[in-house]
């Protein structure tokens, strides 16, 4: 049933074999044995593509329920000995996934070594949609907004900073918000929590977004920083993202007068009962580790905006 579920998700025997660490003939053999047991084909292999037959469509919900039941059984046995076990699927927005999640996972792994963690990343909107469609159990996102269909709770404050090339005239200086009108601004894509925070802060400072010169949209923080390094413009990123470049003096910070670009990193999970099992255990790990993880300003670092 595990093999069937994997093939049904990918609709590709080779990809299922890779994920299951099996050979393709072994996957084909197990599907054939299952089809022999039911007496009907579960996949239509005609036309150069694989699709579920009506029998396969009918079986898939039961295969999913068996997966949940199996994980509950593993967790129950571990729980009898005061441990956590099973599988935990997490989604994280890109900034959190790159700079914060690995540390959280290391702490969680030390506390719960029997839990298998599957992590994926994307922008905040993508992760919330994955949560609603039950593709993930928990999301770590950038942004404070509340939704009726999800429970969202902040676990850490983050600051966005204005990053400029090392030789830029703004390096280490305070500039007026309206000075941005004359600069090429590099931004994350729509749907990014980082972009929403920047746009809201600049609008609150009296800037008109349509008059800003957005020279480029890039769907990753590392891409933004690389673009700034080669002189394509200036950008706003999390203070987490730029620490290495500041230490190497390949990038510099500028301060935007009177503008504080702060946002929360938040946990999101479906509304309803409090999380239990591995989700509750990871949530507790995040809460206990967040204070120690937050970057602290050093004597040589510039103040966050």
């Amino acid at each position: 049933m595990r093999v069937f579920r994997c093939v049904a998700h990918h609709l590709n025997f080779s990809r299922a074999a890779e994920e299951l660490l099996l050979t393709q003939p072994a996957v084909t053999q197990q599907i054939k044995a299952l089809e022999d047991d039911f007496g009907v084909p579960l996949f239509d292999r005609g036309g150069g593509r694989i699709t579920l037959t009506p029998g396969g469509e009918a079986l898939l919900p039961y295969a999913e329920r068996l997966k949940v039941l199996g994980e509950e059984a593993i967790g129950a046995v571990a729980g009898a000995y005061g441990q956590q076990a099973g599988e935990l699927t997490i989604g994280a927005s890109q900034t959190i996934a790159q700079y914060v999640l690995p540390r959280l996972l290391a702490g969680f792994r030390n506390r719960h070594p029997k839990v298998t963690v599957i992590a994926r990343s994307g922008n905040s909107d993508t992760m919330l949609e994955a949560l609603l469609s039950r593709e993930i159990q928990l999301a770590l996102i950038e942004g404070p907004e509340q939704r009726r269909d999800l429970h969202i709770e902040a676990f850490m404050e983050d600051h966005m900073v204005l990053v400029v090339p090392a030789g830029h005239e703004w390096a280490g200086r305070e500039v007026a918000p309206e000075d941005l009108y004359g600069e090429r601004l590099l931004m994350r894509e729509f749907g990014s929590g980082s972009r929403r925070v920047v746009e809201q802060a600049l609008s609150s400072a009296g800037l008109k977004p349509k008059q800003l010169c957005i020279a480029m949209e890039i769907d990753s923080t590392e891409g933004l920083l690389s673009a700034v390094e080669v002189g394509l413009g200036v950008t706003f990123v999390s203070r987490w993202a730029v620490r290495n470049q500041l230490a190497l003096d390949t990038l510099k910070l500028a301060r935007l007068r009177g503008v504080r670009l702060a946002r929360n990193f938040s946990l999101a999970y479906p509304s309803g009962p409090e999380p239990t099992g591995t989700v509750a255990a990871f949530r507790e790990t995040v809460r206990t580790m967040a204070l120690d993880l937050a970057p602290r300003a050093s004597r040589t670092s510039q103040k966050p905006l």
Side-chain angles (χ1 to χ4, degrees), residues 35-159:
E35 290 177 329
D36 289 344
D37 284 343
F38 283 103
V40 296
L42 300 173
F43 295 96
D44 184 348
R45 300 165 178 81
R49 56 194 293 266
I50 297 174
T51 58
L52 284 166
T53 65
E57 294 279 5
L59 180 59
L60 185 56
Y62 292 93
E64 298 287 5
R65 284 161 61 183
L66 282 174
K67 177 188 177 184
V68 173
L69 189 62
E71 291 173 355
E72 288 177 357
I74 293 171
V77 172
Y81 295 91
Q83 301 173 341
Q84 292 290 339
E87 186 176 280
L88 175 64
T89 307
I90 299 171
S93 61
Q94 290 188 5
T95 298
I96 297 175
Q98 286 182 276
Y99 307 107
V100 182
L101 184 59
R103 303 179 188 214
L104 295 174
L105 291 179
F108 181 73
R109 178 72 177 175
N110 288 336
R111 294 170 172 83
H112 307 286
K114 294 185 178 181
V115 177
T116 300
V117 178
I118 299 172
R120 54 180 291 192
S121 66
N123 66 40
S124 293
D125 284 358
T126 301
M127 291 299 95
L128 291 179
E129 290 306 314
L131 185 61
L132 287 171
S133 61
R134 307 291 177 172
E135 297 172 35
I136 58 177
Q137 297 167 273
L138 188 77
L140 287 80
I141 60 168
E142 306 154 28
E145 70 265 25
Q146 294 295 323
R147 299 172 51 150
R148 291 184 178 181
D149 50 354
L150 294 171
H151 185 84
I152 299 178
E153 57 186 45
F155 68 88
M156 182 188 297
E157 186 181 58
D158 180 48
H159 293 272

